[in-house]
Amino acid sequence: MELSAAMQDAMNQQIQTELESAYLYLSMATFFSPKNLGGSAHWMRVQAQEEVTHAMKFIDHVEDRGARVVLGPLAQPKLEFASALEAFEYAAAHEREVSTKIQSLYDLAAKERDYASQGLLQWFITEQVEEERSASQIVETLRMVGDSAPGLFMVDKELAKRGTEGA
Ligand code: FEO
């Protein structure tokens, strides 16, 4: 079954959202690097790669369904943050927004009885639980140990350990 025009537009929009997410996390990585917060920068780079993988999943799906991927312009990401805590709070809020978008896409797929898209989106719904949780956990930890030395450096060391599995 070919993708409907509405699904095609919505998925193209989501490809853009995922790539803008990658762009945002790269921006955060370059915010952290010069502050000697290499662990946080690493975490953000891995996250950016994961977002590109998300975009690819949508691209594959659109193409597998015989539709055309149309890449739009990426919005300028936020460049500066008041603190590491603010950056991770921003990331957590961003993921909550992405979850809402995924849910809207799922609603559309359900309305259209597009079962294949529902299958893909179900994967993303589960993934978003993880995405929200990992950003929120870092926010909670920073609130607990403090957003400056020595707590911040301790958290930064932990973030350096993030692997690329599942990205
Ligand atoms: Fe692709 Fe962070 O959601």
Side-chain angles (χ1 to χ4, degrees):
M1 190 178 87
E2 226 178 76
L3 271 187
S4 71
M7 259 332 264
Q8 191 173 337
D9 285 351
M11 290 224 167
N12 273 315
Q13 196 56 53
Q14 189 62 31
I15 291 166
Q16 194 169 332
T17 295
E18 299 293 345
L19 292 174
E20 283 177 347
S21 300
Y23 213 27
L24 171 66
Y25 293 126
L26 272 182
S27 176
M28 288 181 177
T30 59
F31 164 78
F32 283 124
S33 288
K35 295 184 167 49
N36 210 17
L37 291 167
S40 305
H42 166 75
W43 193 95
M44 289 296 175
R45 279 178 175 233
V46 173
Q47 187 60 33
Q49 278 169 339
E50 201 167 307
E51 299 300 350
V52 173
T53 307
H54 291 171
M56 299 286 197
K57 278 185 188 283
F58 280 110
I59 289 171
D60 285 345
H61 184 75
V62 171
E63 291 185 340
D64 287 349
R65 299 286 300 280
R68 175 81 165 94
V69 171
V70 181
L71 298 177
L74 301 184
Q76 163 91 66
K78 186 167 161 65
L79 301 175
E80 294 298 333
F81 303 89
S83 62
L85 176 60
E86 193 194 85
F88 279 102
E89 280 172 339
Y90 195 90
H94 178 76
E95 287 305 329
R96 287 192 290 274
E97 272 174 38
V98 174
S99 296
T100 305
K101 289 181 179 182
I102 297 282
Q103 283 158 16
S104 299
L105 262 174
Y106 187 91
D107 287 343
L108 179 64
K111 200 179 98 198
E112 296 195 350
R113 307 182 82 183
D114 178 343
Y115 300 110
S117 293
Q118 285 176 60
L120 174 76
L121 292 163
Q122 191 59 59
W123 182 89
F124 274 99
I125 288 168
T126 308
E127 172 72 4
Q128 280 309 121
V129 173
E130 180 60 30
E131 294 274 281
E132 286 188 42
R133 190 185 64 103
S134 50
S136 298
Q137 272 182 342
I138 299 167
V139 168
E140 290 311 316
T141 307
L142 283 172
R143 283 185 185 147
M144 205 160 50
V145 303
D147 190 21
S148 55
L152 176 59
F153 287 103
M154 217 175 67
V155 173
D156 190 70
K157 241 177 146 178
E158 277 305 305
L159 296 180
K161 295 177 190 163
R162 181 177 183 179
T164 51
E165 76 286 343

